[in-house]
Amino acid sequence: MGPRMAEQVSYDVIIVGGAMMGASVAWFLSSHPGFDGTIAVFERDPGYELCSTTHSNSCMRQQFTTAPNIPVSRFCADYVRNFRDHMGGGEDIPDLHVHPFGYMYLATTEEGAQVLRDAQALQAGLGAQTRLLSREALAEGFPFYRSDDVLLASYGPVDEGYFDGGTMFDTWRRKAKANGVTFLKGEVTAIAREGARITGVTLDDGTRLACGALVNATGPRAAHTAAMAGLDLPVEPRKRYTFVFDSAQSLGQDLPLTVDPSGVHVRTDGAGFMAGCPPRDGDPAVAPDDFTADHGLWEEVVWPALYERIPAFEAIRLRQMWVGHYAYNTLDQNALLGPHPEVPNFLLINGFSGHGLQQSPAMGRGLAEWIVSGRFETLDLSAFAYDRIAKGALIVERAII
């Protein structure tokens, strides 16, 4: 997507942000049988070098602690597994590579164990195939862990692991373009609002465009975008670190994405491994262009935690590391989806707090349905509406990595 002039001065829908969420909305809306309007997608970083999509570890899981997230997870897992069918089955639609190594949550306190019990009961009741493991069962099935301090584990052997989110993203953009969506390089620098309605945008080159609806798909910059419309969003950029490494000693089997109580998580990654963690300074908000790394974090925090949990990681070699951003919803760590109650044609798809890429099929489809019909047609996503904030109906997600 290179520089292009806008093809017209007005669009039915303008999507601000062309990464995973913007591409999802563009594809699902342009392919919705009830929509025949015009769509433009504006992206300030057309190489996607700094966006959360590029920095994502592209994992999916069923192990959430709040009921609205689990049907979303089940749909998205089916969507990924049957991507070609969902996209129409054309010869130009690839299959998505999936590596189902599962997730493993470990609890070393009774409080943590109770969280796992409650969450697994909820997950099982909604059809997810997660299961609890005692310390003995964990040691038998996964002998590479140091498990003497583990009181309980929760394991998801089905529909959890890695998937090729990059190919899904590329395919959505390509097929949306084929449907007539205009993808443009440009940064929205102002949003025109008249009362309870967005009327258009101004770009960084001074171009002014009118619109019927505006979609905020700007990830960690979502609050900045909303502020241009005179609106508040409780979403802020927060750093997350990723480390790719090799181990001199084999584990003999795939390593589930293991969420350790230390705050470090680690999983199989091809022939090696991938670990991640939040910063060690209290997880503050940062500027959206702040990707400065804490270069002591690996040696002083991550490697010791890995070796403590998996003694086979005594001799490991760091190959690569990077810093990405969560679009962190400070209120309940869950998505904000649908119209803003003060300005109904300002549409939100924000605040995913680290699970956006895996939820993008359901959320993009749901927002497209809302734009066409004013309701979520195939999956009830109303729990993610912005008005839950005013109602005090927060859905606090405790399984945030």
Side-chain angles (χ1 to χ4, degrees):
M1 179 177 66
R4 288 171 56 184
M5 296 295 291
E7 298 175 354
Q8 54 202 63
V9 297
S10 178
Y11 291 90
D12 292 300
V13 177
I14 286 179
I15 301 172
V16 187
M20 185 63 86
M21 289 301 172
S24 179
V25 176
W27 158 249
F28 282 103
L29 183 57
S30 66
S31 60
H32 194 294
F35 184 81
D36 60 359
T38 54
I39 306 169
V41 180
F42 290 96
E43 171 56 47
R44 64 187 302 276
D45 173 26
Y48 302 102
E49 295 179 6
L50 301 178
C51 71
S52 296
T53 298
T54 302
H55 292 131
S56 170
N57 295 342
S58 201
C59 291
M60 63 178 178
R61 58 188 164 105
Q62 307 295 302
Q63 294 192 66
F64 287 92
T65 65
T66 51
N69 280 316
I70 297 167
V72 170
S73 292
R74 296 194 66 209
F75 164 74
C76 291
D78 175 80
Y79 187 90
V80 166
R81 279 190 279 101
N82 300 288
F83 182 63
R84 294 190 75 246
D85 291 341
H86 282 286
M87 292 292 295
E91 293 183 0
D92 63 336
I93 306 298
D95 289 315
L96 297 183
H97 171 65
V98 179
H99 190 160
F101 43 68
Y103 270 58
M104 183 77 75
Y105 282 80
L106 303 178
T108 56
T109 66
E110 183 53 41
E111 179 184 6
Q114 191 57 50
V115 170
L116 295 186
R117 293 185 193 101
D118 293 343
Q120 194 278 331
L122 175 67
Q123 294 152 13
L126 292 171
Q129 298 182 53
T130 57
R131 55 192 176 95
L132 298 176
L133 301 178
S134 66
R135 178 187 300 153
E136 294 74 22
L138 179 68
E140 180 178 357
F142 303 90
F144 48 78
Y145 290 124
R146 184 182 73 82
S147 56
D148 59 295
D149 64 335
V150 175
L151 299 183
L152 194 67
S154 180
Y155 177 50
V158 178
D159 289 337
E160 294 194 333
Y162 165 88
F163 75 101
D164 187 357
T167 295
M168 184 171 74
F169 174 47
D170 291 340
T171 305
W172 278 344
R173 286 188 299 150
R174 175 168 54 85
K175 298 300 285 185
K177 289 178 184 178
N179 284 350
V181 176
T182 301
F183 284 77
L184 296 165
K185 177 183 178 180
E187 181 173 3
V188 172
T189 56
I191 296 174
R193 173 180 168 184
E194 295 180 3
R197 186 165 184 82
I198 302 299
T199 59
V201 301
T202 301
L203 305 181
D204 50 350
D205 64 359
T207 300
R208 295 183 179 181
L209 300 170
C211 64
L214 187 71
V215 175
N216 182 356
T218 52
R221 295 177 179 267
H224 172 72
T225 302
M228 287 190 283
L231 301 170
D232 292 324
L233 279 187
V235 178
E236 59 189 32
R238 293 195 179 186
K239 288 182 181 179
R240 288 296 182 272
Y241 287 80
T242 298
F243 306 89
V244 180
F245 65 94
D246 297 317
S247 174
Q249 184 175 339
S250 171
L251 301 184
Q253 64 190 91
D254 282 341
L255 174 62
L257 194 150
T258 302
V259 183
D260 190 70
S262 67
V264 173
H265 60 272
V266 60
R267 67 167 173 87
T268 287
D269 184 62
F273 302 91
M274 179 179 285
C277 66
R280 53 178 166 178
D281 54 1
D283 200 15
V286 298
D289 57 355
D290 178 5
F291 294 92
T292 305
D294 175 353
H295 291 288
L297 191 63
W298 168 256
E299 291 278 354
E300 298 165 18
V301 176
V302 180
W303 190 355
L306 294 175
Y307 174 58
E308 178 71 14
R309 182 57 58 200
I310 302 175
F313 285 162
E314 179 179 12
I316 57 181
R317 179 177 64 88
L318 181 64
R319 285 196 282 118
Q320 186 181 9
M321 68 86 67
W322 64 84
V323 181
H325 287 162
Y326 275 7
Y328 194 89
N329 178 350
T330 60
L331 294 182
D332 63 7
Q333 295 78 61
N334 272 307
L336 296 165
L337 185 73
H340 194 288
E342 295 179 32
V343 187
N345 72 331
F346 186 84
L347 300 158
L348 310 174
I349 185 163
N350 306 118
F352 289 90
S353 306
H355 43 277
L357 189 139
Q358 64 182 295
Q359 292 190 331
S360 58
M363 297 300 183
R365 183 185 69 169
L367 191 57
E369 293 172 348
W370 185 277
I371 292 169
V372 173
S373 66
R375 63 187 179 89
F376 300 118
E377 298 170 350
T378 51
L379 188 64
D380 183 8
L381 301 174
S382 58
F384 299 104
Y386 183 94
D387 63 7
R388 75 178 185 268
I389 297 172
K391 294 177 180 177
L394 302 183
I395 42 176
V396 178
E397 179 56 57
R398 301 187 68 176
I400 296 296
I401 298 174

